[in-house]
């Protein structure tokens, strides 16, 4: 059965790619492609928000950034998961798009990810890129376990440049030393952004509080005051900076982007503020995890004021290969400096718990669990008013399951949390 499913998936993927190529050839939309190892989805969503009132534009849904996700975005079709009927329907809609006249978007904002060697190389062979956006490359990127080294991951993602048109625009994070090293000498038209350097800058970051509880962040971007609601972290500024850079590249008035950002909300699971039970505050960073993302999340927790305790729910970080043990130990040391209570989920995070204890966190302040489903009930009994809880873990650890039982408004789970589709809820 598994063999037949794999064959079906391969055939469908190849047919979707063929249809997507024909659609690009027929309608000739211009393409903004976003890649990096941190912040791709948030950046893609911010770019879309900045462009949607000025251009007829479509974006990748959720994190559709793979060999099959990108064609689905081009065709405007949903992920059918395990439903063969829906996959056939997607293929038929692709045929209609090719054969019949349609009102197709003039711009596509595509998130381009890397799981294995060759992923981007295969995409750029048939996707011409008008604007290439690079977010950030940490020393240990996600998916490194499938590559010979972290440098190999970076090299694969930099291949996006090979798909950038000669008159295209390169946009990248000037605060990232790896990107500066690789892209500073590029001859394409360039726009850089950053907090410390860049053509477009952000300053004045601060956390806004109401009734002593965090509600969002304030900053000044390219001379304009910005408030982002229900989210925390300086890393959020980079998503807006990238969006402003695209706006500048396309010669769109910045006022259009400012108006769009008044209603912009960061994607679920990316440092989102959620009201917790007993008047606690939940910082939802459950979309995925990596060493650099953990470091940034802990920095946010450290600088966030709390009337109560600071608690970390830490789930395993996956796809780190030979870096797994070191990364989990380093996380434990960092958590010990910030948190009053640590709850870990997963076998790899045992190293995190041990490391935190060796770094002088009291044993009674550390609780270990094997699965996310086991945590919620215990934590409900100990959460107090004013506690600030950071929830972080890789996708497969399903840390969002903990959030569902801790929310003050659990009826909003489908609206606020990641992986609420039926496919995920059944797993």
């Amino acid at each position: 059965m598994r063999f037949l499913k794999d064959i079906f998936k391969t055939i469908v993927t190849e047919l979707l790619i063929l249809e997507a190529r024909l659609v690009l050839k027929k309608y000739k939309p211009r393409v903004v492609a976003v890649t990096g190892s941190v912040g791709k989805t948030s950046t893609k969503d911010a770019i879309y928000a900045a462009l949607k009132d000025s251009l007829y534009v479509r974006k990748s849904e959720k994190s559709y950034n793979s060999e099959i996700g990108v064609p689905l975005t081009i065709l405007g079709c949903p992920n059918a998961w395990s439903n063969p009927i829906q996959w056939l329907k997607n293929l038929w809609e692709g045929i209609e798009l090719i054969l019949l006249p349609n009102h197709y978007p003039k711009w596509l904002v595509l998130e381009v990810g890397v799981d294995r060697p060759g992923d981007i190389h295969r995409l750029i062979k048939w996707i011409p890129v008008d604007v290439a956006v690079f977010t950030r490359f940490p020393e240990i990127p996600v998916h490194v376990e499938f590559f010979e080294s972290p440098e190999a991951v970076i090299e694969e993602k930099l291949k996006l440049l090979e798909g950038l048109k000669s008159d295209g625009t390169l946009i990248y994070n000037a605060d990232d030393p790896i990107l500066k090293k690789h892209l500073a000498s590029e001859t394409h038209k360039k726009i850089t952004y950053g907090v410390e350097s860049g053509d477009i800058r952000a300053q004045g970051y601060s956390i806004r509080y109401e009734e002593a509880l965090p509600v969002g962040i304030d900053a000044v971007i390219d001379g304009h005051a910005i408030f982002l609601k229900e989210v925390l972290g300086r890393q959020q500024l980079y998503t807006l900076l990238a969006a402003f850079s695209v706006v500048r590249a396309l010669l769109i008035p910045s006022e259009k982007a400012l108006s769009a950002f008044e209603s912009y909300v960061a994607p679920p699971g990316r440092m989102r503020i959620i009201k917790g039970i007993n008047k606690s505050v939940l910082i939802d960073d459950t979309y995925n995890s990596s060493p650099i993302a953990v470091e940034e999340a802990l920095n946010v927790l450290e600088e966030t004021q709390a009337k109560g305790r600071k608690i970390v729910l830490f789930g395993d970080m996956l796809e780190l290969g030979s870096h797994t043990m070191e990364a989990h130990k380093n996380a434990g040391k960092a958590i010990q400096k910030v948190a009053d209570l640590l709850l870990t989920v997963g076998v790899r995070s045992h190293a995190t718990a041990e490391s935190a204890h060796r770094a002088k966190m009291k044993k009674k302040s550390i609780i270990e669990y094997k699965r996310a489903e086991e945590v919620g009930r215990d934590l409900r009994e100990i959460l107090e008013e004013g506690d600030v809880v950071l929830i972080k873990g890789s996708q497969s650890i399903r840390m969002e399951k903990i959030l569902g039982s801790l929310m003050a408004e659990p009826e909003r789970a489908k609206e606020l949390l990641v992986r609420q589709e039926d496919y995920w809820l059944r797993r």
Side-chain angles (χ1 to χ4, degrees):
M1 181 64 71
R2 176 68 182 180
F3 177 69
L4 293 176
K5 286 184 177 179
D6 289 343
I7 292 177
F8 180 79
K9 179 181 178 181
T10 299
I11 293 172
V12 168
T13 300
E14 292 302 320
L15 289 174
L16 288 173
I17 291 173
L18 175 61
E19 290 183 347
R21 295 178 71 160
L22 292 173
V23 165
L24 292 182
K25 187 174 181 179
K26 176 180 178 180
Y27 296 98
K28 296 179 173 55
R30 301 180 72 184
V31 173
V32 178
V34 181
T35 195
S37 295
V38 177
K40 293 189 298 297
T41 301
S42 299
T43 300
K44 172 261 300 178
D45 284 353
I47 292 171
Y48 173 79
L51 300 183
K52 64 181 176 64
D53 293 334
S54 302
L55 303 171
Y56 182 22
V57 58
R58 173 188 293 164
K59 66 171 180 174
S60 302
E61 291 300 320
K62 299 183 172 63
S63 299
Y64 288 5
N65 61 26
S66 63
E67 188 177 29
I68 196 168
V70 172
L72 285 174
T73 299
I74 293 171
L75 298 175
C77 294
N79 190 331
W81 299 108
S82 300
N83 185 340
I85 302 301
Q86 181 61 55
W87 282 119
L88 294 175
K89 182 180 178 182
N90 286 348
L91 290 170
W92 179 250
E93 290 181 3
I95 292 172
E96 291 183 327
L97 196 58
I98 295 164
L99 298 180
L100 303 177
N102 280 273
H103 189 44
Y104 192 81
K106 300 298 183 183
W107 282 87
L108 299 173
V109 183
L110 303 179
E111 179 179 341
V112 181
V114 169
D115 289 328
R116 287 173 169 77
D119 281 352
I120 284 187
H121 179 71
R122 285 188 289 271
L123 285 173
I124 61 171
K125 287 193 297 185
W126 57 275
I127 300 179
V129 177
D130 295 274
V131 181
V133 181
F134 290 85
T135 59
R136 188 174 178 185
F137 288 158
E139 292 184 6
I140 305 176
V142 181
H143 307 306
V144 69
E145 72 169 315
F146 303 116
F147 289 80
E148 293 181 356
S149 65
E151 291 75 21
V153 182
I154 294 168
E155 290 174 5
E156 178 66 30
K157 296 195 175 188
L158 287 171
K159 287 180 181 177
L160 181 64
L161 285 172
E162 298 175 14
L164 183 61
K165 297 177 181 177
S166 59
D167 61 346
T169 302
L170 167 62
I171 294 173
Y172 69 90
N173 183 342
D175 290 345
D176 187 311
I178 296 176
L179 283 171
K180 288 178 70 173
K181 172 185 174 183
H182 287 279
L183 300 179
S185 61
E186 267 295 313
T187 57
H188 282 93
K189 176 186 175 182
K190 288 182 290 192
I191 299 176
T192 61
Y193 63 88
V195 174
E196 299 174 1
S197 60
D199 300 316
I200 298 180
R201 303 278 296 277
Q203 298 172 314
Y205 168 87
S206 64
I207 299 174
R208 184 183 294 191
Y209 295 86
E210 292 180 3
E211 298 180 358
L213 299 176
V215 294
I217 59 175
D218 287 290
V220 176
I221 294 182
D222 200 28
H224 304 285
I226 296 287
F227 171 65
L228 278 186
K229 61 183 179 180
E230 300 175 0
V231 73
L232 292 172
R234 283 179 176 81
Q235 62 268 38
Q236 307 295 340
L237 301 183
Y238 288 108
T239 67
L240 299 194
L241 285 165
F244 266 96
S245 300
V246 175
V247 165
R248 179 175 292 185
L250 303 187
L251 304 179
I252 296 172
S254 59
E255 290 74 17
K256 291 273 190 178
L258 288 170
S259 176
F261 288 142
E262 290 179 1
S263 58
Y264 170 75
V265 178
R270 280 85 164 181
M271 296 302 290
R272 288 280 297 272
I273 301 170
I274 296 177
K275 294 178 181 179
I277 59 172
N278 302 333
K279 296 184 178 180
S280 61
V281 175
L282 310 176
I283 304 176
D284 175 15
D285 204 28
T286 57
Y287 169 69
N288 209 348
S289 190
S290 67
I292 186 63
V294 169
E295 178 184 341
E296 291 178 344
L298 291 175
N299 288 338
V300 173
L301 182 62
E302 183 175 21
E303 67 187 4
T304 302
Q305 299 173 17
K307 293 191 297 183
R309 299 164 296 177
K310 293 184 177 181
I311 301 171
V312 173
L313 304 186
F314 184 84
D316 286 358
M317 295 182 285
L318 306 181
E319 300 179 335
L320 297 180
S322 61
H323 301 275
T324 297
M325 187 60 68
E326 176 190 5
H328 284 81
K329 288 180 178 179
N330 289 340
K333 296 174 187 176
I335 291 169
Q336 181 272 333
K337 297 176 183 177
V338 177
D340 301 298
L341 180 63
L342 166 63
L343 292 81
T344 66
V345 179
V347 295
R348 298 164 187 82
S349 294
H350 175 66
T352 303
E354 286 193 330
S355 178
H357 179 54
R358 284 196 297 270
K360 308 303 182 185
M361 180 176 258
K362 295 179 180 178
K363 196 69 175 178
K364 66 179 182 180
S365 299
I366 303 171
I367 308 173
E368 297 185 56
Y369 297 88
K370 291 183 179 179
R371 294 168 55 84
E373 295 87 342
E374 303 169 357
V375 184
R377 183 178 60 186
D378 290 354
L379 196 54
R380 283 181 64 87
E381 296 178 358
I382 63 175
L383 269 188
E384 301 171 355
E385 181 176 348
D387 285 346
V388 176
V389 187
L390 170 66
I391 305 97
K392 182 73 176 165
S394 281
Q395 186 177 90
S396 298
I397 306 303
R398 307 298 306 280
M399 298 294 282
E400 77 277 2
K401 291 183 177 181
I402 303 173
L403 271 162
S405 63
L406 302 179
M407 295 171 64
E409 302 170 296
E411 67 277 7
R412 298 183 65 195
K414 281 188 174 290
E415 169 194 353
L416 298 178
L417 304 185
V418 294
R419 294 181 285 276
Q420 296 303 295
E421 300 87 353
D422 290 341
Y423 169 82
W424 284 107
L425 293 176
R426 290 193 300 267
R427 295 181 64 178

